[in-house]
Amino acid sequence: KNTLVTNFGNCFNGCTSVSSIPANLFDNNTQVMHFGSCFDGCTSVSSIPVGLFDNNTLVTNFSSCFSYCTSLSGIPSGLFAKNTLVTNFGSCFSKCTSLSSIPAGLFEKNTLVTYFTSCFDGCTSLSGIPAGLFDNNTLVTNFVSCFNGCTSVSGIPANLFDNNTQATYFNSCFYGCTSLSGIPAGLFDKNTLATNF
């Protein structure tokens, strides 16, 4: 059962013909800390099983985990609810061009996260950003290119970054959001440590 596995980085990277992920795939791998690029480039995967990572409570890294999963259309609510030690979601859903929405509260249990760099970069079908998406992520320092190229996003929730007072980098955060029709007043008012926009 491989109960001592700690790293699934790049495990299924580039498996373009894999169309589904078995439920309970990682249930016995309770020591895993790294899922970086695990399903990166799995262009035929269209969905993620509910509770896929529920037993992987030691995970710290989900960077590029589902990057370039171009057929992925949704994210289960509470996907990362049991992964309270995660620090890195960089490029986690980057280039998921079919992803149309983000569940409210997706990251609410991930209070140790510091990186959301390019998390939703190039998600061209994403139509909106949930209010309070980052409210509990008070240690985040980096939002570089977080929503870069999200060409269908038309609005930014007011107070989106109010609780992210440690954030220093926002450069290219909304670069290329060509449908964006407005910017909330005071969007970065609480980000007094930011040095790069």
Side-chain angles (χ1 to χ4, degrees):
K1 293 184 178 181
N2 301 314
T3 57
L4 300 182
V5 176
T6 60
N7 193 335
F8 276 110
N10 292 297
C11 190
F12 301 103
N13 191 326
C15 293
T16 56
S17 295
V18 170
S19 58
S20 63
I21 302 171
N24 308 318
L25 180 61
F26 305 117
D27 275 10
N28 293 323
N29 311 117
T30 58
Q31 302 303 305
V32 178
M33 294 182 286
H34 196 297
F35 278 108
S37 298
C38 187
F39 298 103
D40 186 357
C42 290
T43 55
S44 298
V45 169
S46 59
S47 63
I48 303 170
V50 173
L52 180 62
F53 304 117
D54 277 6
N55 288 7
N56 315 118
T57 57
L58 301 182
V59 178
T60 60
N61 193 337
F62 277 111
S63 60
S64 299
C65 188
F66 299 102
S67 183
Y68 286 93
C69 288
T70 54
S71 296
L72 185 65
S73 58
I75 304 170
S77 179
L79 179 62
F80 305 117
K82 303 296 178 65
N83 314 117
T84 58
L85 301 182
V86 178
T87 59
N88 193 341
F89 279 111
S91 298
C92 188
F93 298 101
S94 177
K95 305 301 189 297
C96 289
T97 53
S98 297
L99 185 65
S100 59
S101 64
I102 303 169
L106 180 61
F107 305 117
E108 66 181 359
K109 302 296 183 180
N110 314 116
T111 58
L112 301 182
V113 178
T114 56
Y115 289 94
F116 278 113
T117 310
S118 301
C119 189
F120 299 101
D121 174 29
C123 291
T124 53
S125 297
L126 189 64
S127 59
I129 302 169
L133 180 61
F134 305 119
D135 276 5
N136 291 359
N137 313 118
T138 58
L139 302 182
V140 177
T141 60
N142 200 320
F143 283 107
V144 172
S145 298
C146 189
F147 298 102
N148 177 43
C150 291
T151 54
S152 297
V153 169
S154 59
I156 303 171
N159 314 117
L160 181 62
F161 302 118
D162 273 14
N163 291 357
N164 313 118
T165 56
Q166 302 302 306
T168 54
Y169 294 97
F170 286 97
N171 46 305
S172 299
C173 188
F174 298 101
Y175 182 84
C177 292
T178 53
S179 296
L180 196 62
S181 59
I183 304 169
L187 179 61
F188 302 113
D189 278 3
K190 303 296 177 64
N191 313 115
T192 57
L193 299 182
T195 58
N196 198 327
F197 288 100

Short mmCIF file of all heavy atoms in Angstrom, two decimals, residues 125-180:
data_model
loop_
_atom_site.label_atom_id
_atom_site.label_comp_id
_atom_site.label_asym_id
_atom_site.label_seq_id
_atom_site.Cartn_x
_atom_site.Cartn_y
_atom_site.Cartn_z
N SER A 125 -11.64 30.48 -19.12
CA SER A 125 -13.09 30.31 -18.99
C SER A 125 -13.61 30.74 -17.62
O SER A 125 -14.83 30.75 -17.40
CB SER A 125 -13.48 28.85 -19.23
OG SER A 125 -13.18 28.45 -20.55
N LEU A 126 -12.70 31.10 -16.72
CA LEU A 126 -13.10 31.50 -15.38
C LEU A 126 -13.93 32.78 -15.45
O LEU A 126 -13.46 33.81 -15.94
CB LEU A 126 -11.86 31.72 -14.51
CG LEU A 126 -12.07 31.93 -13.02
CD1 LEU A 126 -12.69 30.69 -12.39
CD2 LEU A 126 -10.74 32.27 -12.35
N SER A 127 -15.15 32.72 -14.94
CA SER A 127 -16.06 33.86 -15.10
C SER A 127 -16.10 34.79 -13.90
O SER A 127 -16.58 35.93 -14.02
CB SER A 127 -17.48 33.35 -15.38
OG SER A 127 -17.93 32.52 -14.33
N GLY A 128 -15.61 34.32 -12.75
CA GLY A 128 -15.66 35.18 -11.58
C GLY A 128 -14.73 34.71 -10.48
O GLY A 128 -14.19 33.61 -10.52
N ILE A 129 -14.57 35.58 -9.48
CA ILE A 129 -13.73 35.29 -8.32
C ILE A 129 -14.61 35.37 -7.08
O ILE A 129 -15.27 36.40 -6.87
CB ILE A 129 -12.58 36.31 -8.20
CG1 ILE A 129 -11.72 36.32 -9.47
CG2 ILE A 129 -11.71 36.01 -6.97
CD1 ILE A 129 -10.74 37.49 -9.54
N PRO A 130 -14.68 34.33 -6.27
CA PRO A 130 -15.55 34.37 -5.08
C PRO A 130 -15.12 35.44 -4.08
O PRO A 130 -13.92 35.63 -3.86
CB PRO A 130 -15.39 32.98 -4.46
CG PRO A 130 -14.82 32.13 -5.53
CD PRO A 130 -13.98 33.04 -6.39
N ALA A 131 -16.08 36.11 -3.50
CA ALA A 131 -15.78 37.07 -2.44
C ALA A 131 -15.16 36.33 -1.27
O ALA A 131 -15.57 35.21 -0.94
CB ALA A 131 -17.06 37.77 -2.00
N GLY A 132 -14.15 36.92 -0.66
CA GLY A 132 -13.53 36.31 0.51
C GLY A 132 -12.65 35.12 0.22
O GLY A 132 -12.31 34.36 1.13
N LEU A 133 -12.26 34.94 -1.05
CA LEU A 133 -11.48 33.76 -1.44
C LEU A 133 -10.20 33.60 -0.62
O LEU A 133 -9.82 32.48 -0.29
CB LEU A 133 -11.12 33.83 -2.93
CG LEU A 133 -10.32 32.67 -3.51
CD1 LEU A 133 -11.10 31.36 -3.38
CD2 LEU A 133 -9.93 32.93 -4.97
N PHE A 134 -9.56 34.72 -0.28
CA PHE A 134 -8.28 34.66 0.43
C PHE A 134 -8.37 35.17 1.87
O PHE A 134 -7.35 35.48 2.49
CB PHE A 134 -7.23 35.48 -0.33
CG PHE A 134 -7.06 35.09 -1.78
CD1 PHE A 134 -7.31 36.00 -2.79
CD2 PHE A 134 -6.64 33.81 -2.12
CE1 PHE A 134 -7.14 35.65 -4.14
CE2 PHE A 134 -6.47 33.44 -3.46
CZ PHE A 134 -6.72 34.37 -4.47
N ASP A 135 -9.56 35.27 2.39
CA ASP A 135 -9.75 35.88 3.72
C ASP A 135 -8.95 35.21 4.82
O ASP A 135 -8.49 35.88 5.76
CB ASP A 135 -11.24 35.85 4.10
CG ASP A 135 -12.00 37.03 3.53
OD1 ASP A 135 -11.41 37.81 2.76
OD2 ASP A 135 -13.21 37.17 3.84
N ASN A 136 -8.78 33.90 4.77
CA ASN A 136 -8.09 33.18 5.84
C ASN A 136 -6.61 32.95 5.57
O ASN A 136 -5.91 32.34 6.38
CB ASN A 136 -8.76 31.83 6.09
CG ASN A 136 -10.13 31.97 6.71
OD1 ASN A 136 -10.59 33.07 6.98
ND2 ASN A 136 -10.80 30.87 6.96
N ASN A 137 -6.15 33.46 4.45
CA ASN A 137 -4.75 33.23 4.05
C ASN A 137 -3.91 34.45 4.41
O ASN A 137 -3.35 35.13 3.54
CB ASN A 137 -4.68 32.93 2.56
CG ASN A 137 -5.71 31.92 2.11
OD1 ASN A 137 -6.57 32.21 1.30
ND2 ASN A 137 -5.66 30.72 2.66
N THR A 138 -3.79 34.70 5.68
CA THR A 138 -3.19 35.95 6.17
C THR A 138 -1.67 36.00 6.06
O THR A 138 -1.07 37.05 6.29
CB THR A 138 -3.59 36.19 7.63
OG1 THR A 138 -3.17 35.07 8.42
CG2 THR A 138 -5.10 36.35 7.75
N LEU A 139 -1.03 34.87 5.74
CA LEU A 139 0.43 34.84 5.63
C LEU A 139 0.94 34.97 4.20
O LEU A 139 2.16 34.96 3.97
CB LEU A 139 0.98 33.55 6.25
CG LEU A 139 0.64 33.29 7.72
CD1 LEU A 139 1.29 31.99 8.17
CD2 LEU A 139 1.10 34.46 8.59
N VAL A 140 0.04 35.08 3.24
CA VAL A 140 0.45 35.14 1.84
C VAL A 140 1.33 36.35 1.57
O VAL A 140 1.02 37.47 1.98
CB VAL A 140 -0.78 35.20 0.90
CG1 VAL A 140 -0.33 35.33 -0.55
CG2 VAL A 140 -1.63 33.97 1.07
N THR A 141 2.44 36.10 0.87
CA THR A 141 3.33 37.18 0.46
C THR A 141 3.29 37.41 -1.04
O THR A 141 3.66 38.49 -1.51
CB THR A 141 4.79 36.88 0.86
OG1 THR A 141 5.22 35.67 0.22
CG2 THR A 141 4.92 36.72 2.37
N ASN A 142 2.84 36.43 -1.80
CA ASN A 142 2.99 36.50 -3.25
C ASN A 142 1.71 36.16 -4.01
O ASN A 142 1.21 35.03 -3.94
CB ASN A 142 4.11 35.54 -3.67
CG ASN A 142 4.69 35.85 -5.02
OD1 ASN A 142 3.97 36.18 -5.94
ND2 ASN A 142 6.00 35.71 -5.16
N PHE A 143 1.20 37.15 -4.76
CA PHE A 143 0.05 36.98 -5.64
C PHE A 143 0.44 37.25 -7.10
O PHE A 143 -0.41 37.54 -7.94
CB PHE A 143 -1.08 37.95 -5.26
CG PHE A 143 -1.88 37.53 -4.05
CD1 PHE A 143 -1.73 38.20 -2.85
CD2 PHE A 143 -2.79 36.49 -4.12
CE1 PHE A 143 -2.48 37.84 -1.73
CE2 PHE A 143 -3.54 36.13 -3.01
CZ PHE A 143 -3.39 36.80 -1.81
N VAL A 144 1.73 37.13 -7.41
CA VAL A 144 2.21 37.41 -8.77
C VAL A 144 1.44 36.56 -9.79
O VAL A 144 1.33 35.34 -9.65
CB VAL A 144 3.72 37.12 -8.88
CG1 VAL A 144 4.17 37.22 -10.34
CG2 VAL A 144 4.52 38.07 -8.03
N SER A 145 0.88 37.22 -10.80
CA SER A 145 0.19 36.56 -11.92
C SER A 145 -0.94 35.63 -11.49
O SER A 145 -1.31 34.72 -12.23
CB SER A 145 1.20 35.77 -12.78
OG SER A 145 2.16 36.62 -13.34
N CYS A 146 -1.50 35.85 -10.32
CA CYS A 146 -2.50 34.94 -9.78
C CYS A 146 -3.67 34.72 -10.75
O CYS A 146 -4.11 33.59 -10.95
CB CYS A 146 -3.03 35.46 -8.45
SG CYS A 146 -4.09 34.29 -7.57
N PHE A 147 -4.18 35.80 -11.34
CA PHE A 147 -5.29 35.71 -12.29
C PHE A 147 -4.87 36.19 -13.68
O PHE A 147 -5.70 36.59 -14.50
CB PHE A 147 -6.49 36.52 -11.79
CG PHE A 147 -7.05 36.02 -10.48
CD1 PHE A 147 -6.75 36.67 -9.29
CD2 PHE A 147 -7.84 34.88 -10.43
CE1 PHE A 147 -7.25 36.21 -8.07
CE2 PHE A 147 -8.34 34.42 -9.22
CZ PHE A 147 -8.04 35.08 -8.03
N ASN A 148 -3.60 36.16 -13.94
CA ASN A 148 -3.06 36.59 -15.23
C ASN A 148 -3.76 35.86 -16.39
O ASN A 148 -3.89 34.64 -16.37
CB ASN A 148 -1.56 36.29 -15.26
CG ASN A 148 -0.91 36.64 -16.57
OD1 ASN A 148 -1.18 37.69 -17.16
ND2 ASN A 148 -0.05 35.77 -17.06
N GLY A 149 -4.23 36.61 -17.37
CA GLY A 149 -4.82 36.00 -18.55
C GLY A 149 -6.18 35.37 -18.35
O GLY A 149 -6.62 34.58 -19.19
N CYS A 150 -6.86 35.71 -17.26
CA CYS A 150 -8.23 35.22 -17.06
C CYS A 150 -9.16 36.13 -17.85
O CYS A 150 -9.78 37.05 -17.30
CB CYS A 150 -8.58 35.21 -15.57
SG CYS A 150 -7.67 33.96 -14.62
N THR A 151 -9.27 35.85 -19.11
CA THR A 151 -9.92 36.77 -20.06
C THR A 151 -11.43 36.87 -19.90
O THR A 151 -12.04 37.77 -20.49
CB THR A 151 -9.58 36.36 -21.50
OG1 THR A 151 -9.92 34.98 -21.69
CG2 THR A 151 -8.09 36.54 -21.77
N SER A 152 -12.05 35.97 -19.13
CA SER A 152 -13.50 36.02 -18.95
C SER A 152 -13.92 36.65 -17.62
O SER A 152 -15.11 36.88 -17.40
CB SER A 152 -14.10 34.61 -19.05
OG SER A 152 -13.89 34.05 -20.33
N VAL A 153 -12.96 36.90 -16.75
CA VAL A 153 -13.29 37.53 -15.46
C VAL A 153 -13.66 38.99 -15.69
O VAL A 153 -12.87 39.76 -16.24
CB VAL A 153 -12.09 37.44 -14.48
CG1 VAL A 153 -12.32 38.33 -13.27
CG2 VAL A 153 -11.88 36.00 -14.05
N SER A 154 -14.87 39.36 -15.27
CA SER A 154 -15.35 40.73 -15.54
C SER A 154 -15.31 41.63 -14.31
O SER A 154 -15.47 42.85 -14.44
CB SER A 154 -16.78 40.67 -16.09
OG SER A 154 -17.65 40.05 -15.15
N GLY A 155 -15.12 41.04 -13.13
CA GLY A 155 -15.10 41.86 -11.92
C GLY A 155 -14.21 41.28 -10.83
O GLY A 155 -13.91 40.09 -10.83
N ILE A 156 -13.80 42.16 -9.91
CA ILE A 156 -12.99 41.77 -8.77
C ILE A 156 -13.80 42.06 -7.51
O ILE A 156 -14.30 43.17 -7.34
CB ILE A 156 -11.67 42.58 -8.72
CG1 ILE A 156 -10.89 42.42 -10.02
CG2 ILE A 156 -10.82 42.16 -7.53
CD1 ILE A 156 -9.69 43.37 -10.13
N PRO A 157 -13.94 41.10 -6.61
CA PRO A 157 -14.71 41.36 -5.39
C PRO A 157 -14.06 42.46 -4.55
O PRO A 157 -12.83 42.52 -4.43
CB PRO A 157 -14.65 40.03 -4.63
CG PRO A 157 -14.31 39.01 -5.66
CD PRO A 157 -13.45 39.72 -6.66
N ALA A 158 -14.90 43.31 -3.99
CA ALA A 158 -14.39 44.34 -3.07
C ALA A 158 -13.74 43.64 -1.88
O ALA A 158 -14.19 42.56 -1.46
CB ALA A 158 -15.52 45.23 -2.60
N ASN A 159 -12.68 44.21 -1.38
CA ASN A 159 -11.99 43.70 -0.18
C ASN A 159 -11.32 42.34 -0.39
O ASN A 159 -11.03 41.63 0.57
CB ASN A 159 -12.97 43.59 1.01
CG ASN A 159 -13.83 44.81 1.19
OD1 ASN A 159 -15.05 44.76 1.09
ND2 ASN A 159 -13.19 45.94 1.45
N LEU A 160 -11.05 41.97 -1.65
CA LEU A 160 -10.46 40.67 -1.95
C LEU A 160 -9.17 40.41 -1.18
O LEU A 160 -8.91 39.28 -0.74
CB LEU A 160 -10.21 40.53 -3.45
CG LEU A 160 -9.61 39.20 -3.94
CD1 LEU A 160 -10.56 38.04 -3.62
CD2 LEU A 160 -9.30 39.26 -5.43
N PHE A 161 -8.35 41.46 -1.02
CA PHE A 161 -7.04 41.28 -0.39
C PHE A 161 -6.93 41.95 0.98
O PHE A 161 -5.83 42.12 1.50
CB PHE A 161 -5.95 41.85 -1.31
CG PHE A 161 -5.90 41.25 -2.69
CD1 PHE A 161 -6.13 42.03 -3.81
CD2 PHE A 161 -5.63 39.90 -2.87
CE1 PHE A 161 -6.08 41.50 -5.09
CE2 PHE A 161 -5.59 39.34 -4.14
CZ PHE A 161 -5.81 40.14 -5.26
N ASP A 162 -8.05 42.30 1.57
CA ASP A 162 -8.03 43.04 2.84
C ASP A 162 -7.30 42.31 3.96
O ASP A 162 -6.68 42.95 4.83
CB ASP A 162 -9.46 43.34 3.30
CG ASP A 162 -9.99 44.63 2.70
OD1 ASP A 162 -9.36 45.14 1.75
OD2 ASP A 162 -11.05 45.12 3.17
N ASN A 163 -7.38 41.00 3.99
CA ASN A 163 -6.75 40.24 5.08
C ASN A 163 -5.33 39.77 4.76
O ASN A 163 -4.67 39.15 5.60
CB ASN A 163 -7.60 39.01 5.42
CG ASN A 163 -8.92 39.38 6.07
OD1 ASN A 163 -9.20 40.54 6.32
ND2 ASN A 163 -9.74 38.39 6.35
N ASN A 164 -4.87 40.11 3.57
CA ASN A 164 -3.53 39.66 3.14
C ASN A 164 -2.51 40.76 3.37
O ASN A 164 -1.84 41.23 2.45
CB ASN A 164 -3.58 39.24 1.68
CG ASN A 164 -4.75 38.34 1.36
OD1 ASN A 164 -5.61 38.69 0.56
ND2 ASN A 164 -4.81 37.18 1.99
N THR A 165 -2.36 41.15 4.61
CA THR A 165 -1.54 42.31 4.95
C THR A 165 -0.04 42.03 4.86
O THR A 165 0.76 42.96 4.96
CB THR A 165 -1.87 42.80 6.37
OG1 THR A 165 -1.70 41.71 7.30
CG2 THR A 165 -3.32 43.28 6.44
N GLN A 166 0.36 40.76 4.66
CA GLN A 166 1.78 40.44 4.52
C GLN A 166 2.21 40.38 3.05
O GLN A 166 3.39 40.20 2.75
CB GLN A 166 2.08 39.07 5.17
CG GLN A 166 1.73 38.99 6.64
CD GLN A 166 2.47 40.04 7.46
OE1 GLN A 166 3.70 40.12 7.39
NE2 GLN A 166 1.74 40.83 8.21
N ALA A 167 1.26 40.54 2.15
CA ALA A 167 1.56 40.42 0.72
C ALA A 167 2.48 41.54 0.25
O ALA A 167 2.24 42.72 0.54
CB ALA A 167 0.28 40.43 -0.09
N THR A 168 3.52 41.16 -0.48
CA THR A 168 4.47 42.14 -1.00
C THR A 168 4.47 42.20 -2.53
O THR A 168 4.86 43.20 -3.10
CB THR A 168 5.90 41.83 -0.53
OG1 THR A 168 6.22 40.47 -0.86
CG2 THR A 168 6.02 42.00 0.98
N TYR A 169 4.01 41.13 -3.18
CA TYR A 169 4.06 41.09 -4.65
C TYR A 169 2.68 40.86 -5.27
O TYR A 169 2.02 39.86 -5.00
CB TYR A 169 5.00 39.98 -5.11
CG TYR A 169 6.44 40.21 -4.77
CD1 TYR A 169 7.01 39.63 -3.63
CD2 TYR A 169 7.26 41.02 -5.57
CE1 TYR A 169 8.33 39.86 -3.30
CE2 TYR A 169 8.58 41.24 -5.25
CZ TYR A 169 9.11 40.66 -4.11
OH TYR A 169 10.43 40.88 -3.78
N PHE A 170 2.29 41.81 -6.12
CA PHE A 170 1.04 41.71 -6.86
C PHE A 170 1.26 41.90 -8.37
O PHE A 170 0.29 41.99 -9.13
CB PHE A 170 0.04 42.79 -6.40
CG PHE A 170 -0.58 42.53 -5.06
CD1 PHE A 170 -0.06 43.12 -3.91
CD2 PHE A 170 -1.70 41.71 -4.93
CE1 PHE A 170 -0.64 42.90 -2.67
CE2 PHE A 170 -2.28 41.49 -3.70
CZ PHE A 170 -1.76 42.09 -2.56
N ASN A 171 2.52 41.95 -8.80
CA ASN A 171 2.76 42.25 -10.21
C ASN A 171 2.09 41.23 -11.13
O ASN A 171 2.10 40.04 -10.88
CB ASN A 171 4.26 42.37 -10.51
CG ASN A 171 5.11 41.28 -9.92
OD1 ASN A 171 5.06 41.04 -8.72
ND2 ASN A 171 5.89 40.61 -10.76
N SER A 172 1.48 41.74 -12.18
CA SER A 172 0.77 40.95 -13.20
C SER A 172 -0.41 40.16 -12.64
O SER A 172 -0.90 39.22 -13.29
CB SER A 172 1.72 39.99 -13.93
OG SER A 172 2.74 40.68 -14.60
N CYS A 173 -0.90 40.51 -11.47
CA CYS A 173 -1.98 39.76 -10.83
C CYS A 173 -3.21 39.64 -11.73
O CYS A 173 -3.81 38.57 -11.83
CB CYS A 173 -2.37 40.41 -9.51
SG CYS A 173 -3.52 39.43 -8.52
N PHE A 174 -3.58 40.74 -12.39
CA PHE A 174 -4.75 40.74 -13.27
C PHE A 174 -4.36 41.08 -14.72
O PHE A 174 -5.20 41.50 -15.51
CB PHE A 174 -5.80 41.73 -12.76
CG PHE A 174 -6.32 41.41 -11.39
CD1 PHE A 174 -5.87 42.09 -10.27
CD2 PHE A 174 -7.26 40.39 -11.22
CE1 PHE A 174 -6.35 41.79 -9.01
CE2 PHE A 174 -7.74 40.08 -9.95
CZ PHE A 174 -7.29 40.77 -8.84
N TYR A 175 -3.11 40.87 -15.04
CA TYR A 175 -2.62 41.19 -16.39
C TYR A 175 -3.41 40.39 -17.43
O TYR A 175 -3.63 39.19 -17.29
CB TYR A 175 -1.14 40.85 -16.48
CG TYR A 175 -0.50 41.18 -17.81
CD1 TYR A 175 -0.03 42.46 -18.07
CD2 TYR A 175 -0.37 40.22 -18.80
CE1 TYR A 175 0.56 42.77 -19.28
CE2 TYR A 175 0.22 40.51 -20.02
CZ TYR A 175 0.69 41.79 -20.26
OH TYR A 175 1.28 42.11 -21.46
N GLY A 176 -3.86 41.05 -18.47
CA GLY A 176 -4.55 40.37 -19.56
C GLY A 176 -5.99 39.98 -19.26
O GLY A 176 -6.58 39.19 -20.01
N CYS A 177 -6.56 40.51 -18.17
CA CYS A 177 -7.98 40.25 -17.88
C CYS A 177 -8.81 41.21 -18.73
O CYS A 177 -9.29 42.25 -18.26
CB CYS A 177 -8.27 40.43 -16.39
SG CYS A 177 -7.50 39.17 -15.34
N THR A 178 -8.95 40.87 -19.98
CA THR A 178 -9.50 41.79 -20.98
C THR A 178 -10.99 42.08 -20.81
O THR A 178 -11.51 43.04 -21.39
CB THR A 178 -9.25 41.25 -22.40
OG1 THR A 178 -9.74 39.90 -22.48
CG2 THR A 178 -7.75 41.24 -22.69
N SER A 179 -11.71 41.28 -20.02
CA SER A 179 -13.15 41.53 -19.79
C SER A 179 -13.41 42.31 -18.52
O SER A 179 -14.56 42.63 -18.21
CB SER A 179 -13.91 40.19 -19.73
OG SER A 179 -13.85 39.50 -20.95
N LEU A 180 -12.35 42.62 -17.78
CA LEU A 180 -12.50 43.33 -16.52
C LEU A 180 -13.08 44.72 -16.78
O LEU A 180 -12.51 45.52 -17.53
CB LEU A 180 -11.14 43.46 -15.84
CG LEU A 180 -11.11 43.83 -14.36
CD1 LEU A 180 -11.82 42.77 -13.53
CD2 LEU A 180 -9.66 43.99 -13.90
#
